[in-house]
Amino acid sequence: ILLRDKTGLLLMFAMPILLVIVVTSIQNSTFDILNKNKIGLLICNTDSGRLSKDFIKAIDTSGMFNISFTSNSNQTKLADEMHAKNIVMGVVIDAAFSKKLEAKAKNTAAKALNSFGLEGDTTAIDPQKNNYLSLYYNPVIQPSLKLSIKGALNAALQIIARKEVLRNLFFSITETTLPDSLENEMLDNNMSIE
């Protein structure tokens, strides 16, 4: 019966192929847009410490973001500015960002020293008060893109935190500052993914 219906036979094979082509081109164009364009990121840095500047530099180094700066830490004003500039995400860096990150790094370094049998000051840090950043997203942003952005920001934050722990460990052992060449060698010794 199907051999007599040439149109039905053609549609039975052509429609799935057409569907695959359409879906693939839509997904490809989405990734092309993201790969060619940087994601707009509005940063309000209320911290004046060195680590917040290092964090912003790490974000910029990722190459994923087109960074704009604002002094509006008010949620409503930040949202308005994001909308006006057509930016999908905003970050407010806490005023105590550097102090909190330094305290956490010192505590982590002290725990490491204690595990080696050396003395280190492990003052308790309240985990509830480790809110370094406030993130604001455009409501239309897709959940997968939101996770990618959050992952990139977490990666930048982890780089800064690792550097600070390493500096504290080195200073605790040698009582001198960590040389830049050694820091770069220890932190940039990553395996490449091919």
Side-chain angles (χ1 to χ4, degrees), residues 73-75 78-79 82 88-92 134-138:
S73 62
N74 179 313
Q75 183 177 358
L78 186 71
M82 285 172 55
V88 296
M89 195 177 111
V91 177
V92 176
S134 298
L135 304 177
Y136 299 96
Y137 297 98
N138 189 324

Side-chain angles (χ1 to χ4, degrees), residues 8-191:
L9 190 62
L10 178 68
L11 287 175
M12 187 171 81
F13 290 107
M15 290 306 279
I17 293 171
L18 183 64
L19 180 68
V20 168
I21 291 171
V22 168
V23 169
T24 304
S25 68
I26 289 170
Q27 287 180 342
N28 239 357
S29 66
T30 302
F31 285 114
D32 285 344
I33 289 170
L34 289 177
N35 288 337
K36 292 178 183 174
N37 297 328
K38 293 183 177 184
I39 298 167
L41 179 66
L42 186 63
I43 296 178
C44 176
N45 186 5
T46 60
D47 183 49
S48 59
R50 170 184 53 86
L51 293 178
S52 65
K53 292 176 180 93
D54 289 349
F55 176 64
I56 293 170
K57 185 178 177 185
I59 292 171
D60 194 30
T61 304
S62 74
M64 185 175 172
F65 300 104
N66 184 16
I67 299 175
S68 300
F69 295 96
T70 183
S71 59
N72 291 328
S73 62
N74 179 313
Q75 183 177 358
T76 308
K77 289 181 181 179
L78 186 71
D80 290 342
E81 192 168 343
M82 285 172 55
H83 181 69
K85 292 183 177 180
N86 199 23
I87 293 176
V88 296
M89 195 177 111
V91 177
V92 176
I93 300 174
D94 187 76
F97 175 85
S98 293
K99 288 179 184 176
K100 289 178 182 179
L101 200 56
E102 285 171 0
K104 187 174 181 183
K106 283 180 183 177
N107 191 32
T108 304
K111 285 180 181 177
L113 288 172
N114 285 338
S115 71
F116 295 140
L118 301 171
E119 285 189 32
D121 180 24
T122 55
T123 54
I125 295 176
D126 185 9
Q128 299 295 331
K129 296 184 180 181
N130 283 336
N131 300 338
Y132 305 124
L133 305 170
S134 298
L135 304 177
Y136 299 96
Y137 297 98
N138 189 324
V140 298
I141 194 171
Q142 293 180 350
S144 59
L145 182 59
K146 186 190 252 188
L147 286 174
S148 296
I149 293 170
K150 197 170 182 181
L153 292 175
N154 277 329
L157 186 60
Q158 293 303 317
I159 289 170
I160 300 306
R162 281 191 337 208
K163 282 183 181 181
E164 195 60 24
V165 168
L166 188 60
R167 288 175 186 147
N168 279 296
L169 276 172
F170 192 84
F171 185 79
S172 295
I173 294 170
T174 65
E175 295 186 7
T176 59
T177 58
L178 180 65
D180 289 337
S181 60
L182 181 59
E183 179 181 312
N184 291 335
E185 185 177 335
M186 293 177 85
L187 292 172
D188 294 335
N189 195 11
N190 295 331
M191 301 291 288

Side-chain angles (χ1 to χ4, degrees), residues 1-14:
I1 296 176
L2 206 57
L3 292 174
R4 291 184 214 159
D5 186 12
K6 304 263 188 228
T7 308
L9 190 62
L10 178 68
L11 287 175
M12 187 171 81
F13 290 107

